[in-house]
Structures are given as C-alpha cells and as structure tokens.
Amino acid sequence: MPIKPKVKDRGRYTSDINAVARQAANMLLLKPLVWRVTRVTVHGLENLGGLDGAYVITANHSSHLDTPLIFGSLPKRLSRYLSTGAAADYFFTNWWRAFTPVLFFNAFPVDRGKGRTRSGSAPHTHRGLAGSLLTDGIPLLIFAEGTRSRTGGMGTFKPGAAALAISRGVPVIPVALVGAFSAMPSDLQGLPKGRPPVHVVYGHPMQPAPGEIAHEFSERIRRQIITLHDQTARAYGMPTQADYARTLALGKAADKAEKAEKASTEKGDQRPPEPPSAG
C-alpha cells in the first residue's frame, strides 16, 4: 500500500489523480528512457522495508539523471507522493517551465536567495513550504549540496535538509548515486558511448542523535553517503570521491603550471634586445 499523506490540504501535492498521472509518466516515459541509455543497478531497497510516513531523501548531486534515477528506483509506495525542490526563480516563473518538474517530480518551489526573477520582477517567497509539506506527511527529495557538482566530487552540504528532519521528527534516507556524473556530466561534454553503468545505493534511515544540531547531523549524513558511494565504486571499479578529488587537484596543478610557463615566456619576450658586441 502506498504511504498516504496525513492531511489533504496541499492541493496538487497530495492529489490522488496527480499521483497516478505522475507515476504513469515516470513508469511509461522517463524511467524507460533513463534505463535504456544507462545500465542501472539498485542496491539497498531492503533498508527501506519498514519505512512509513514522511521522510527526507538526501543524495549526492552531479547529473541531470539524479532525480529520475531516484524516482524510478524507489518502490511505488514510497515515490507516490514524493516531492522535490526546484528553483522558484527559474521553473516557477511560467506555467510551461513548471509543467515538466511538476508532472514528473511533484516539484515544489525553492527560493535560491536571488533578488529578482529571470523576468526582473520581485520573487514570491516560499519560505517554510518544505517544512509544511513534511508536516502534512509529504516526503521530500532534497539535494543538500544545493547545486550539481561540476567535477563529480561531492561538495559541502547545506544543513537545511538535516534541520527539516530534526524539526519535523522524520528520518533521512541517504542515497549514493555512483556513475551518474560519468553518464551525463554537468556540462554535457564528453558523453560516453554505449550504456554506462549507474548505481543507486540506498542506506539505512538515519535519525539525529540526542542533542545533535543540524550542522552535525548534516555532516554525518554526508559522510554516510560518501561511504555508500565509495564502497560501491570500489566494488565495481568506478571512481571514488578520492579519485574525483585527485583528478581535480591534478587539473588545478596543471593549469597553474601552464599559467606560470606562459607568464615566464611573455616576460622573456619583453626583455630589451642585447646591445651588439664591441668586437
């Protein structure tokens, strides 16, 4: 049986008709497409067997594939009312921009702190909406990094997801997405040939320890996602988070050396010509 939100006062977020349409769109359109272009393996669904009520999913974020992978891999009872945040200043300025994330992901608007929308108008505030949805029993998918990684490596976590879980007394589900960056990099450059492997790894639900504040809980969630990611990556011969960090460091060192060499060459070209010898 699907988990039903406790209170039906949030319109489309809890609509049974919308839920049926959303799951049909995902199962008939989006999931077949993503599963066709990648080789998806899902791990750890047994960890979610006793999950009931609202929860927060937090995952590493490095690809446009991330949200479809989570919605497509979750059991229907858990994904039926799942809602994910989308940038209010981009997706919710026009109905046609909002249509796709709302149809497929039950998206809710998230303020990104910008002073103006793309059209130049003052933005409408959506402060507190995520907490209200959780209170109503609607589970949320929140990427705690706040944006997609441009390198494959995980960034720091914002404490908002952990704070929501603490304040509403709901568990956090850590999810590691392995191989999604290689399958579809953020800049869409160097797309691999064939069907690259992607792994979706679900960890055990996490609860804050007594007295644990949001920053501490958020960091513990981040470390758990790194552990899930790297254990799976090593098992299947894929890059770990340390590998991504090493590649980034080597790239920065190479860029620095190239700039130094270029500056040295330009400095040498600017030297005045030597005077002719007296002989």
Side-chain angles (χ1 to χ4, degrees):
M1 290 290 293
I3 295 174
K4 182 67 177 175
K6 291 177 287 188
V7 181
K8 293 192 64 175
D9 63 354
R10 292 285 163 188
R12 66 174 178 82
Y13 300 104
T14 58
S15 166
D16 289 327
I17 294 176
N18 288 352
V20 170
R22 181 167 54 255
Q23 291 199 313
N26 275 289
M27 292 301 105
L28 297 178
L29 297 174
L30 194 57
K31 182 176 179 176
L33 174 62
V34 174
W35 263 245
R36 183 178 180 84
V37 299
T38 61
R39 289 186 287 114
V40 181
T41 305
V42 184
H43 310 263
L45 287 180
E46 66 276 7
N47 296 329
L48 311 181
L51 190 63
D52 190 18
Y55 57 88
V56 175
I57 286 182
T58 302
N60 57 306
H61 194 18
S62 62
S63 170
H64 286 300
L65 296 174
D66 296 344
T67 303
L69 284 167
I70 291 173
F71 271 80
S73 61
L74 275 173
K76 290 182 179 179
R77 76 180 191 90
L78 297 178
S79 65
R80 184 175 178 86
Y81 299 101
L82 181 63
S83 180
T84 188
D89 60 289
Y90 182 84
F91 288 106
F92 288 91
T93 56
N94 298 289
W95 71 266
W96 50 270
R97 284 189 189 276
F99 179 79
T100 298
V102 168
L103 172 64
F104 287 101
F105 308 128
N106 201 21
F108 66 92
V110 174
D111 297 324
R112 295 196 294 184
K114 296 187 176 182
R116 294 283 170 178
T117 65
R118 289 169 61 90
S119 63
S121 60
H124 174 71
T125 180
H126 303 93
R127 185 180 179 86
L129 177 56
S132 296
L133 293 175
L134 272 180
T135 298
D136 289 348
I138 301 168
L140 303 181
L141 167 59
I142 298 175
F143 293 104
E145 291 164 275
T147 186
R148 283 176 292 121
S149 169
R150 269 43 179 181
T151 65
M154 283 174 57
T156 57
F157 274 20
K158 300 180 186 300
L164 282 169
I166 292 173
S167 66
R168 297 314 191 273
V170 301
V172 172
I173 313 302
V175 181
L177 300 168
V178 185
F181 176 78
S182 299
M184 184 177 286
S186 59
D187 58 3
L188 301 182
Q189 298 295 317
L191 290 174
K193 296 180 180 180
R195 296 174 61 213
V198 176
H199 297 264
V200 185
V201 190
Y202 290 93
H204 290 280
M206 300 177 66
Q207 298 278 4
E212 190 172 34
I213 64 174
H215 285 278
E216 295 170 339
F217 188 31
S218 181
E219 181 57 26
R220 187 158 60 89
I221 295 166
R222 181 179 181 274
R223 290 198 302 268
Q224 179 61 18
I225 292 174
I226 291 175
T227 298
L228 294 171
H229 180 283
D230 288 356
Q231 287 176 343
T232 305
R234 292 190 188 98
Y236 291 90
M238 301 172 76
T240 65
Q241 288 298 312
D243 292 330
Y244 285 125
R246 189 177 303 111
T247 299
L248 178 62
L250 290 173
K252 287 182 176 180
D255 289 343
K256 185 177 180 179
E258 182 179 353
K259 289 179 181 178
E261 182 179 358
K262 183 178 180 181
S264 178
T265 302
E266 291 175 349
K267 185 177 180 180
D269 292 342
Q270 293 172 0
R271 292 176 182 173
E274 295 183 3
S277 62

